[in-house]
Amino acid sequence: MSTTEFNSDDHKRSVPQAMGRGAMLKCPKCGKGSLFAKYLKAADHCPSCGEAFFHHRADDAPPYFTMLLIGHLVFPGIFLVERHYQPPMWLHFSVWIPLLIVLCLALLPVVKGAIIAMQWALRMHGFETTEPVTSGTTDGEN
Ligand SMILES: [Zn+2]
C-alpha cells in the first residue's frame, strides 16, 4: 500500500484537546457531537461530523484508570477518618461503599471518553485511516 495523505484538518490532532473533548463525552474531532450512544457504548459515528468511532479499543483501560483515580482520591480519606475518629465499621461501610460506587459510575464514561479520544488523536486502532485524500481506488477496505 502506498503512502496515505490526510485532509489538512487531519494533519494535526492535539492530544490534550481531544482528551478534553472526550472527557466531556464529546467527539474528539469536532467537539460537538456526542461520543456515546448509551452510558458506556461508544457511538459508531459522530452525529455532527460523521467521524467513525467504531474501531476504538478502549477495552479494560477505562475501569483500570477509574479505579486508580478513585482509589487515590477516596482511600486516604478512609484512613484519615479511621485514624482520627475511629467510627464503627457499619458507618464506614454505609458511607464509603456508596461513595465509591457513585464516583466510579460517574467517572467511568469520562475516562473512557478521554481514552477513546486519545486513541483518535494518536491515530491508533484504525483512527489513522479516516478520510484519505488521495485514494484513487478503494483498496484497503475489507
Ligand atoms: Zn464530530
Side-chain angles (χ1 to χ4, degrees), residues 26-34 45-51 53:
K26 295 296 181 186
C27 168
K29 183 177 182 182
C30 69
K32 295 175 184 164
S34 177
H45 297 86
C46 172
S48 181
C49 70
E51 181 72 13
F53 304 130

mmCIF file of all heavy atoms in Angstrom, residues 26-34 45-51 53, ligand 1:
data_model
loop_
_atom_site.group_PDB
_atom_site.id
_atom_site.type_symbol
_atom_site.label_atom_id
_atom_site.label_comp_id
_atom_site.label_asym_id
_atom_site.label_seq_id
_atom_site.Cartn_x
_atom_site.Cartn_y
_atom_site.Cartn_z
ATOM 1 N N LYS A 26 -17.752 14.302 24.345
ATOM 2 C CA LYS A 26 -17.997 14.869 23.015
ATOM 3 C C LYS A 26 -17.010 14.288 22.010
ATOM 4 O O LYS A 26 -15.960 13.767 22.369
ATOM 5 C CB LYS A 26 -17.846 16.401 23.054
ATOM 6 C CG LYS A 26 -18.872 17.097 23.917
ATOM 7 C CD LYS A 26 -20.261 16.923 23.378
ATOM 8 C CE LYS A 26 -21.288 17.654 24.226
ATOM 9 N NZ LYS A 26 -22.649 17.366 23.771
ATOM 10 N N CYS A 27 -17.331 14.431 20.747
ATOM 11 C CA CYS A 27 -16.478 13.962 19.663
ATOM 12 C C CYS A 27 -15.103 14.627 19.748
ATOM 13 O O CYS A 27 -15.018 15.844 19.874
ATOM 14 C CB CYS A 27 -17.152 14.302 18.337
ATOM 15 S SG CYS A 27 -16.095 14.120 16.895
ATOM 16 N N PRO A 28 -14.010 13.831 19.692
ATOM 17 C CA PRO A 28 -12.677 14.437 19.779
ATOM 18 C C PRO A 28 -12.326 15.283 18.567
ATOM 19 O O PRO A 28 -11.468 16.147 18.649
ATOM 20 C CB PRO A 28 -11.745 13.224 19.895
ATOM 21 C CG PRO A 28 -12.515 12.091 19.342
ATOM 22 C CD PRO A 28 -13.963 12.380 19.600
ATOM 23 N N LYS A 29 -12.995 15.073 17.447
ATOM 24 C CA LYS A 29 -12.677 15.834 16.231
ATOM 25 C C LYS A 29 -13.369 17.189 16.218
ATOM 26 O O LYS A 29 -12.728 18.212 16.041
ATOM 27 C CB LYS A 29 -13.076 15.031 14.993
ATOM 28 C CG LYS A 29 -12.717 15.725 13.693
ATOM 29 C CD LYS A 29 -13.060 14.854 12.499
ATOM 30 C CE LYS A 29 -12.660 15.545 11.201
ATOM 31 N NZ LYS A 29 -13.028 14.729 10.037
ATOM 32 N N CYS A 30 -14.696 17.207 16.403
ATOM 33 C CA CYS A 30 -15.433 18.463 16.271
ATOM 34 C C CYS A 30 -15.839 19.050 17.629
ATOM 35 O O CYS A 30 -16.120 20.245 17.710
ATOM 36 C CB CYS A 30 -16.680 18.265 15.409
ATOM 37 S SG CYS A 30 -17.965 17.248 16.167
ATOM 38 N N GLY A 31 -15.907 18.230 18.664
ATOM 39 C CA GLY A 31 -16.272 18.727 19.981
ATOM 40 C C GLY A 31 -17.753 19.033 20.135
ATOM 41 O O GLY A 31 -18.162 19.591 21.146
ATOM 42 N N LYS A 32 -18.562 18.662 19.131
ATOM 43 C CA LYS A 32 -19.990 18.983 19.183
ATOM 44 C C LYS A 32 -20.854 17.750 19.364
ATOM 45 O O LYS A 32 -21.715 17.707 20.234
ATOM 46 C CB LYS A 32 -20.396 19.716 17.905
ATOM 47 C CG LYS A 32 -19.733 21.069 17.773
ATOM 48 C CD LYS A 32 -20.062 21.700 16.432
ATOM 49 C CE LYS A 32 -19.287 23.017 16.286
ATOM 50 N NZ LYS A 32 -19.253 23.488 14.921
ATOM 51 N N GLY A 33 -20.636 16.739 18.538
ATOM 52 C CA GLY A 33 -21.458 15.539 18.603
ATOM 53 C C GLY A 33 -21.133 14.695 19.818
ATOM 54 O O GLY A 33 -20.039 14.777 20.378
ATOM 55 N N SER A 34 -22.077 13.866 20.218
ATOM 56 C CA SER A 34 -21.873 13.000 21.373
ATOM 57 C C SER A 34 -20.985 11.820 20.994
ATOM 58 O O SER A 34 -21.142 11.212 19.942
ATOM 59 C CB SER A 34 -23.220 12.489 21.885
ATOM 60 O OG SER A 34 -23.005 11.603 22.967
ATOM 61 N N HIS A 45 -20.568 6.522 14.866
ATOM 62 C CA HIS A 45 -20.098 7.725 14.172
ATOM 63 C C HIS A 45 -20.547 8.956 14.950
ATOM 64 O O HIS A 45 -21.559 8.914 15.648
ATOM 65 C CB HIS A 45 -20.664 7.805 12.748
ATOM 66 C CG HIS A 45 -20.226 6.683 11.873
ATOM 67 N ND1 HIS A 45 -20.879 5.480 11.825
ATOM 68 C CD2 HIS A 45 -19.182 6.576 11.028
ATOM 69 C CE1 HIS A 45 -20.260 4.678 10.978
ATOM 70 N NE2 HIS A 45 -19.226 5.310 10.482
ATOM 71 N N CYS A 46 -19.821 10.035 14.782
ATOM 72 C CA CYS A 46 -20.227 11.307 15.379
ATOM 73 C C CYS A 46 -21.490 11.799 14.669
ATOM 74 O O CYS A 46 -21.503 11.876 13.438
ATOM 75 C CB CYS A 46 -19.107 12.335 15.245
ATOM 76 S SG CYS A 46 -19.596 13.990 15.755
ATOM 77 N N PRO A 47 -22.552 12.145 15.405
ATOM 78 C CA PRO A 47 -23.764 12.639 14.746
ATOM 79 C C PRO A 47 -23.571 14.022 14.126
ATOM 80 O O PRO A 47 -24.365 14.417 13.276
ATOM 81 C CB PRO A 47 -24.795 12.680 15.877
ATOM 82 C CG PRO A 47 -24.007 12.706 17.125
ATOM 83 C CD PRO A 47 -22.696 12.036 16.835
ATOM 84 N N SER A 48 -22.512 14.713 14.490
ATOM 85 C CA SER A 48 -22.290 16.063 13.957
ATOM 86 C C SER A 48 -21.367 16.059 12.735
ATOM 87 O O SER A 48 -21.706 16.619 11.699
ATOM 88 C CB SER A 48 -21.702 16.947 15.052
ATOM 89 O OG SER A 48 -21.494 18.250 14.576
ATOM 90 N N CYS A 49 -20.183 15.424 12.852
ATOM 91 C CA CYS A 49 -19.212 15.492 11.750
ATOM 92 C C CYS A 49 -19.032 14.154 11.042
ATOM 93 O O CYS A 49 -18.356 14.093 10.014
ATOM 94 C CB CYS A 49 -17.859 15.979 12.270
ATOM 95 S SG CYS A 49 -16.993 14.807 13.326
ATOM 96 N N GLY A 50 -19.578 13.071 11.573
ATOM 97 C CA GLY A 50 -19.506 11.780 10.911
ATOM 98 C C GLY A 50 -18.238 10.992 11.183
ATOM 99 O O GLY A 50 -18.039 9.929 10.596
ATOM 100 N N GLU A 51 -17.356 11.489 12.061
ATOM 101 C CA GLU A 51 -16.122 10.759 12.390
ATOM 102 C C GLU A 51 -16.484 9.391 12.975
ATOM 103 O O GLU A 51 -17.356 9.275 13.826
ATOM 104 C CB GLU A 51 -15.299 11.571 13.400
ATOM 105 C CG GLU A 51 -13.981 10.940 13.797
ATOM 106 C CD GLU A 51 -12.930 10.993 12.679
ATOM 107 O OE1 GLU A 51 -13.137 11.719 11.707
ATOM 108 O OE2 GLU A 51 -11.927 10.285 12.803
ATOM 109 N N PHE A 53 -16.147 6.072 15.180
ATOM 110 C CA PHE A 53 -15.595 5.679 16.481
ATOM 111 C C PHE A 53 -15.631 4.171 16.699
ATOM 112 O O PHE A 53 -15.150 3.684 17.716
ATOM 113 C CB PHE A 53 -16.393 6.315 17.629
ATOM 114 C CG PHE A 53 -16.488 7.796 17.576
ATOM 115 C CD1 PHE A 53 -17.715 8.419 17.693
ATOM 116 C CD2 PHE A 53 -15.365 8.576 17.415
ATOM 117 C CE1 PHE A 53 -17.818 9.789 17.649
ATOM 118 C CE2 PHE A 53 -15.450 9.951 17.364
ATOM 119 C CZ PHE A 53 -16.687 10.556 17.484
HETATM 120 ZN ZN ZN B 1 -17.635 15.062 15.463
#
